[in-house]
Amino acid sequence: MYGLSEQDLALQATARAFADELVPFEVEAEMNEGNLAEGMLEKLRQRAAYLGLHSTNIPTEVGGQGCTALQQVLVQEQGGRVTNTLAWVLATPPAWWVDVATPDQLERWLEPTVRGEVEECYAITEEHAGSDVSELAATVRRDGDEYVLDGVKWHVTSYNSASYCFFQGVLTEGEHGGEHALVVVDLPSPGVSVVRVPAYSHTTTHQHPIVAFEGVRVPVTHLIGQEGEGMTFAQEWFRFERLMVAARCLGAAERLVDEMTSFAAERRVGGEPLAAKQLVQAMLADSLTELYAARAMVYETARGIDEGLDRKVLHARASMAKLYASEMAGRVADRAVQVFGGRGYMRENVAERFTRELRVERIWEGASEIQRIIVADQLLKRGRAALV
Ligand SMILES: Cc1cc2nc3c(=O)[nH]c(=O)nc-3n(C[C@H](O)[C@H](O)[C@H](O)COP(=O)(O)OP(=O)(O)OC[C@H]3O[C@@H](n4cnc5c(N)ncnc54)[C@H](O)[C@@H]3O)c2cc1C
């Protein structure tokens, strides 16, 4: 099915079996603020690496798995079947960095990340700059052989476990004054401090603190690419990550369809299985149909990347895939809660957890409204036939 090669199917089976190993840990994580027994998350991370499921998006020359886009989707889809971010051990390091990293950057940060020894985090969003990154107020000022960074960043995911972060800010002067620069900051560093750690809907060990950068000094060798290129990398990351969000939403929807179908088949109401009720059947049928449609879209978009289609076309298709798959998964989760009834409102139930966890898929990496704006913009510029 879906024209997958032998190699694709083997990788998919490995990822599926690994995701199945993670599922039994979900409730323990949910009840313990995302934590598992001492050392267990590290063991799972090592196992993911051993199975070839870590760094699937990184070329083999840099130590990654060098998978096709479709294979990356297949792996992330299986990870999406698991709640409480346990499948984040299937990490996808910053592939956009590979072509522009200096030998020093490669050795100090990128290669250790690919080997799974360290983690990165992204400090881009601010209080007044989210969807519209061009509103960033954080600054990057050149001072001799150093840059001085100032700004307050929001939602810095995994700051608590990261060894370094990407800081995006506006250059204060020079030829590219007013444009963006992306700079690496080691963590901890003098001048970097946590303002506060808000609680979020999902239950995970990964925090998303508000982080202040006050007069933080880094050598100019920490600049990624050239001055003024900061926005380019964010755009590239979005294209990749939007497809991966869509892939994980497929996995979540599949798990929910499986779980609600088994429950409906077993649960007896009014002397017959819940699954015999046509109103319940409609929820199962709608969920399966939407999953089928979303999967076809996501796989086709990944194939387009592997075939080297035009970047703008792919940009629009990745937006369509993220928009549809994330909204589809949200609808499926909502129906699953309904099918489970009161049990679906209990935190030990997978549908309850997914209802909270999937909500953010419609917000991060470009909220649904932003995806619609991108799709409509491309439609009006290029015409329907270029995109679909
Ligand atoms: C759990 C979590 C983790 C995150 N992790 C990170 C991270 O690691 N690093 C990082 O830098 N950021 C991170 N983010 C930030 C995330 O990328 C932003 O929340 C997202 O881009 C939306 O920005 P915003 O929250 O400022 O919303 P806003 O931009 O203020 O948007 C609010 C609402 O208005 C809508 N809207 C905005 N513009 C338009 C428009 N032109 N037309 C119509 N509607 C519009 C949006 O779609 C949204 O519904 C994270 C966020 C969350 C919730």
Side-chain angles (χ1 to χ4, degrees), residues 156 159-160 194-200 205-211:
V156 184
Y159 177 87
N160 56 318
V194 172
V195 177
R196 70 185 173 94
V197 186
Y200 286 69
T205 52
H206 295 267
Q207 297 175 346
H208 318 278
I210 298 172
V211 181

Side-chain angles (χ1 to χ4, degrees), residues 74 116 131 166 168 173 187 209 256 270 292 300 310 340 366 372:
L74 295 174
S131 303
F166 298 110
Q168 189 165 328
E173 55 217 44
L187 297 175
L256 287 160
Y292 186 46
E300 185 63 18
D310 177 80
F340 277 106
R372 289 189 170 94

